Amino acid sequence: MEDVFITTICIGDCKSYKLVKEGLSDWMNIGSLLKAHENSPDHTKHMVTWKELELRLRKGKTIDQVEMSLIEASRKHWREILRRLIAIIQSLAERNLGLRGTVDTLHSHNNGNFLKEVELLAKFDPVMRQHVNQIESGTYSYSTYLGKTIQNEVITCISDKIMETMVAEIKQSKYYAIILDCTPDLSHLEQMSIVIRTVKLGEAPEIKEHFLGFLTAPETTGLGLSNLILNRLEELNIPFSNCRGQSYDNGANMKGKNKGVQARLLEKNPRALYVPCGAHTLNLVVADAAKNSIDATSFFGNVQKIYNLFSAATQRWSILKHHVTITVKSWSETRWESRVNSIIPLRYQASGIRDALLEVREKATDVITKVEAQSLAEEVGSYRFQICTVVWHDILSMIDRTSKLLQSPKMQLDVAVNLLESTKSHLLSYRDNGFAAAQASAKDACEEMHVDAVLKEKRLRSTKTHFAYESPDEPVKDALKRLKTTFFNVIVDSAITALDDRFETLGRVESKFGVLQNFSALDEEALKKQCEELENTLRIGGEADIDGRELAMEIRNLPQLPTNRMSAFELLDFFHKKELTELYPNLWISLRIACTLPVTVASAERSFSKLKLIKTYLRSSMAQDRLTGLAIISINHEVGKQVSYENVIDDFASRKARRQRF
């Protein structure tokens, strides 16, 4: 390169030489001719000029270098400003706070959280102080980086970097499961939440659930939702062939065997095993139990009436708080297991609530309120109501504990089945002894309220019946036995039966991976058979994730385990710590897939809580891209901590040229 430059300079001025004008063809004398050129004054002069230029370039003293220094200083200045603006936007998004106000100018009263944060930072940070001062003095002609368009672009850049990190982690894990759920937002748009569950393989195996954003669902049919999720996976370049599980709620459009989402995805990938949401199913178990007893449904009606009476007026609520420490609560229409919160005050502070009702009756001026308070006070003080309170409190407490555990993001399929079996055994035990214990607790409550623990007889209604070949059952005339028969036995038996029926699909999926837990109790033939069944489960066409025969051999050659009964994740962690993954490849893959299968859609439900915090009434006109970006930053804030500001700035700088005013 240097020789070419020198030759160019010499050609420019040494026009008297034939070498410059016509070129040389005298190859016999080429040596002497080139030597004469090198010894010429012009050549020496231009060589000295080049060396001076080379020295100035090396020391940075060229004319262009001054301009380059100004450009570099400006670049660093704007990067420092962007670094602070990105930090402000990310902080506000993680806390679900609104960015904009009614105006977009600095030092205005209602200019929003973003500009207020900029003003606050400018009081202490010299870089931001200089930036704000230059804006106020009119130094910038148009670019201030504080406008709404820049906010949207920064939100997009941050969320895109978070998405890149999560997608890279999903691809590294290879196997994943899909969790979907839908809900209408404040703008009456159906929002579908997408969550991907994987087993991260780092320093230690870790079950992760990544929120990939909200999608607007124009159609809520199985076809529309399945196409929506498949298109989203294709956009993110996540192969659907690596999907090994899917979990939804119990809606017909989701779980339908013919046209539901799970059926349509199974057609494309039979290895994407469907697991119904355990929390929703458990909720339906209690709902089924309550519907089968009139006493059960009327009990919760009275509980709601008590809440409505006290919450209707602040004076009544003050009377209630004077008598109790735990206030009554309204129960949920859909989440039956959460109704235990509405029963706790009645279970442990029935006397205080009854006294509050009697005081409301005395102080009320409205006749209807007096009558209602008197009626509810008599109901709360009745032996029947106290028995129902104790029974429902015991049953819902058992269900609520199981439901809370099932909703953990790290819950595994085998552990969930064991929890449900434990809940069933507790219900069976409670059926034998629960009613007697409920009577004892109800008597104690009645004694505290100074009322008789006597179950009043209800008049048996006689109805005309047609002739039948089978005689009707004899009516139970004892009120206590009738309550046990028509209330206690009905709801407990219904709950036990519903546990078996509604969790059949969950148990069937868990049984396919059962060999990973109960292998120590299997003989050679049974072990080989179950391993081959697992291979067929994880096969599509001629491709299988594991080899069943090799899996059986690996299990037979296992090292000494810490305990005889270990969960799939405990085994996975054991093999990772002992660095045995290469020695047991089929078992390693099977355990990873088993831990990938979801149990509930609780993560998608939690994203709806964020949706309500982000898209409020005052922010109902928010665009879908901004909503999704803010939700990704908020829900995946732990991943956001790993994102480098420099990478976000580089992405921001590479976006389209900005020609509009900000």
Side-chain angles (χ1 to χ4, degrees):
M1 185 69 185
E2 182 179 350
D3 293 340
V4 173
F5 187 82
I6 295 171
T7 305
T8 305
I9 294 176
C10 295
I11 292 175
D13 292 330
C14 304
K15 298 181 180 179
S16 58
Y17 288 91
K18 187 177 181 181
L19 177 63
V20 177
K21 290 184 176 181
E22 301 175 3
L24 290 175
S25 59
D26 187 2
W27 302 109
M28 294 183 61
N29 300 316
I30 189 65
S32 58
L33 290 173
L34 289 176
K35 186 175 181 180
H37 174 73
E38 290 175 356
N39 294 331
S40 65
D42 289 334
H43 178 76
T44 304
K45 175 183 176 182
H46 289 106
M47 281 299 298
V48 170
T49 304
W50 164 247
K51 290 298 181 182
E52 291 177 356
L53 177 61
E54 185 181 23
L55 185 62
R56 289 197 302 272
L57 288 171
R58 191 182 305 148
K59 293 182 178 181
K61 294 184 178 181
T62 60
I63 298 176
D64 294 340
Q65 188 65 30
V66 177
E67 297 295 331
M68 291 299 296
S69 299
L70 295 175
I71 295 174
E72 181 66 19
S74 178
R75 188 183 71 88
K76 290 182 178 179
H77 170 72
W78 285 110
R79 289 183 77 91
E80 289 295 326
I81 293 173
L82 282 173
R83 189 177 291 109
R84 287 155 175 79
L85 298 180
I86 291 171
I88 292 174
I89 291 175
Q90 186 172 0
S91 175
L92 293 173
E94 289 177 354
R95 292 175 288 157
N96 309 304
L97 298 176
L99 274 70
R100 299 180 60 201
T102 55
V103 293
D104 291 330
T105 55
L106 288 169
H107 304 295
S108 297
H109 179 64
N110 296 321
N111 56 3
N113 293 320
F114 173 71
L115 292 181
K116 287 299 180 186
E117 291 283 331
V118 171
E119 295 171 8
L120 179 63
L121 187 59
K123 294 180 179 180
F124 307 98
D125 181 64
V127 176
M128 191 55 69
R129 185 186 305 118
Q130 179 187 2
H131 183 60
V132 170
N133 291 338
Q134 289 177 340
I135 293 174
E136 294 175 345
S137 63
T139 303
Y140 300 128
S141 58
Y142 59 92
S143 296
T144 63
Y145 285 4
L146 301 181
K148 60 180 182 180
T149 306
I150 294 295
Q151 291 177 21
N152 291 336
E153 292 186 1
V154 170
I155 291 171
T156 302
C157 292
I158 298 173
S159 61
D160 285 352
K161 289 301 176 183
I162 293 176
M163 286 289 292
E164 288 177 10
T165 304
M166 294 189 297
V167 170
E169 190 173 297
I170 293 170
K171 291 181 179 179
Q172 183 182 11
S173 302
K174 186 178 180 179
Y175 305 114
Y176 66 90
I178 300 172
I179 299 174
L180 299 180
D181 204 357
C182 297
T183 188
D185 64 7
L186 201 63
S187 301
H188 308 291
L189 297 175
E190 192 74 13
Q191 298 285 352
M192 184 173 74
S193 174
I194 304 176
V195 178
I196 298 293
R197 178 183 170 104
T198 63
V199 177
K200 181 182 178 182
L201 302 176
E203 297 180 357
E206 182 181 3
I207 297 175
K208 301 290 288 293
E209 292 185 350
H210 300 295
F211 171 73
L212 299 187
F214 293 116
L215 294 179
T216 304
E219 299 180 1
T220 57
T221 61
L223 177 62
L225 296 178
S226 58
N227 289 337
L228 204 60
I229 180 60
L230 290 174
N231 293 336
R232 181 57 174 164
L233 292 175
E234 186 178 355
E235 290 174 4
L236 298 174
N237 197 22
I238 300 176
F240 181 65
S241 58
N242 291 336
C243 179
R244 293 296 177 269
Q246 46 179 325
S247 183
Y248 320 114
D249 59 16
N250 290 277
N253 59 340
M254 293 291 192
K255 73 170 186 177
K257 295 182 179 180
N258 298 319
K259 297 182 179 180
V261 176
Q262 64 95 10
R264 294 182 182 277
L265 295 186
L266 279 173
E267 289 180 2
K268 298 182 178 295
N269 183 4
R271 291 181 287 189
L273 304 175
Y274 169 62
V275 182
C277 175
H280 281 85
T281 306
L282 198 60
N283 177 61
L284 294 175
V285 167
V286 188
D288 292 344
K291 291 176 182 177
N292 292 327
S293 172
I294 298 176
D295 288 323
T297 53
S298 62
F299 168 78
F300 281 104
N302 288 324
V303 172
Q304 186 63 28
K305 286 179 181 178
I306 293 172
Y307 173 79
N308 293 339
L309 178 68
F310 285 114
S311 62
T314 57
Q315 295 83 0
R316 302 175 201 170
W317 195 261
S318 299
I319 294 173
L320 175 66
K321 292 178 67 177
H322 177 71
H323 289 277
V324 299
T325 56
I326 305 175
T327 58
V328 294
K329 298 175 176 62
S330 178
W331 45 263
S332 172
E333 285 282 353
T334 55
R335 289 300 178 95
W336 270 84
E337 75 278 1
S338 68
R339 300 193 181 193
V340 68
N341 296 325
S342 64
I343 300 177
I344 289 177
L346 293 165
R347 172 67 178 86
Y348 296 106
Q349 300 186 63
S351 178
I353 293 175
R354 183 172 178 271
D355 292 341
L357 288 169
L358 293 175
E359 186 176 344
V360 169
R361 181 199 63 181
E362 296 297 330
K363 294 184 177 181
T365 57
D366 183 14
V367 177
I368 297 177
T369 303
K370 283 179 175 290
V371 173
E372 187 175 4
Q374 176 65 29
S375 174
L376 291 175
E378 292 176 357
E379 186 68 26
V380 172
S382 67
Y383 189 37
R384 176 187 298 274
F385 186 86
Q386 289 305 313
I387 291 176
C388 293
T389 300
V390 175
V391 170
W392 270 119
H393 177 267
D394 294 342
I395 293 177
L396 292 179
S397 295
M398 283 187 284
I399 299 296
D400 186 60
R401 284 192 295 268
T402 304
S403 179
K404 291 290 191 298
L405 291 172
L406 289 177
Q407 293 175 32
S408 171
K410 301 185 184 301
M411 178 55 62
Q412 303 115 55
L413 190 63
D414 53 336
V415 178
V417 171
N418 292 336
L419 277 174
L420 294 171
E421 289 293 335
S422 176
T423 303
K424 180 181 176 182
S425 64
H426 279 79
L427 287 173
L428 289 171
S429 176
Y430 187 72
R431 191 188 189 283
D432 298 332
N433 309 313
F435 193 72
Q439 291 181 64
S441 299
K443 286 180 180 179
D444 294 339
C446 289
E447 290 178 2
E448 186 180 354
M449 291 183 289
H450 306 290
V451 295
D452 296 331
V454 178
L455 199 62
K456 296 180 180 180
E457 292 280 353
K458 285 189 176 182
R459 183 178 67 85
L460 298 177
R461 182 178 300 174
S462 60
T463 56
K464 294 182 178 180
T465 57
H466 296 284
F467 172 78
Y469 290 99
E470 295 182 2
S471 61
D473 295 335
E474 287 291 331
V476 181
K477 296 184 179 180
D478 184 82
L480 196 61
K481 290 183 179 179
R482 187 167 61 251
L483 181 64
K484 182 179 180 180
T485 303
T486 61
F487 168 67
F488 180 79
N489 290 346
V490 167
I491 62 174
V492 176
D493 291 344
S494 299
I496 294 172
T497 304
L499 272 175
D500 292 332
D501 295 341
R502 290 192 174 275
F503 283 98
E504 181 182 357
T505 303
L506 185 70
R508 187 165 55 248
V509 175
E510 192 274 337
S511 64
K512 296 180 179 181
F513 293 86
V515 66
L516 303 178
Q517 279 78 46
N518 61 1
F519 53 81
S520 58
L522 301 177
D523 56 26
E524 190 70 31
E525 288 299 323
L527 176 65
K528 182 178 178 181
K529 180 180 179 180
Q530 291 194 23
C531 289
E532 290 178 352
E533 289 177 356
L534 182 58
E535 177 188 355
N536 294 331
T537 300
L538 301 177
R539 175 185 296 278
I540 178 172
E543 180 185 353
D545 294 328
I546 61 170
D547 188 297
R549 294 184 178 181
E550 293 182 2
L551 176 61
M553 294 176 59
E554 292 175 7
I555 292 176
R556 284 303 179 196
N557 296 326
L558 282 176
Q560 184 66 33
L561 299 176
T563 59
N564 293 330
R565 187 74 177 177
M566 300 177 67
S567 67
F569 187 77
E570 289 173 344
L571 283 170
L572 192 73
D573 189 57
F574 172 78
F575 284 113
H576 185 273
K577 288 180 178 179
K578 298 296 182 180
E579 298 182 355
L580 301 174
T581 58
E582 295 181 357
L583 295 177
Y584 302 93
N586 293 280
L587 184 57
W588 176 250
I589 293 175
S590 301
L591 291 171
R592 285 166 54 194
I593 295 176
C595 293
T596 300
L597 295 178
V599 178
T600 67
V601 297
S603 295
E605 295 269 357
R606 294 187 190 100
S607 69
F608 296 151
S609 300
K610 295 291 185 181
L611 173 63
K612 292 179 180 178
L613 292 174
I614 296 172
K615 195 168 185 178
T616 61
Y617 174 77
L618 296 177
R619 305 164 71 187
S620 58
S621 61
M622 182 184 302
Q624 185 69 22
D625 292 341
R626 185 183 177 97
L627 170 64
T628 301
L630 291 173
I632 289 174
I633 297 171
S634 175
I635 297 173
N636 304 297
H637 58 273
E638 292 296 332
V639 181
K641 295 177 182 178
Q642 307 172 15
V643 175
S644 170
Y645 288 160
E646 298 301 321
N647 293 336
V648 176
I649 294 173
D650 291 340
D651 186 22
F652 177 83
S654 63
R655 299 276 172 165
K656 61 181 181 179
R658 301 169 180 81
R659 298 177 181 175
Q660 54 184 327
R661 218 177 155 81
F662 302 110

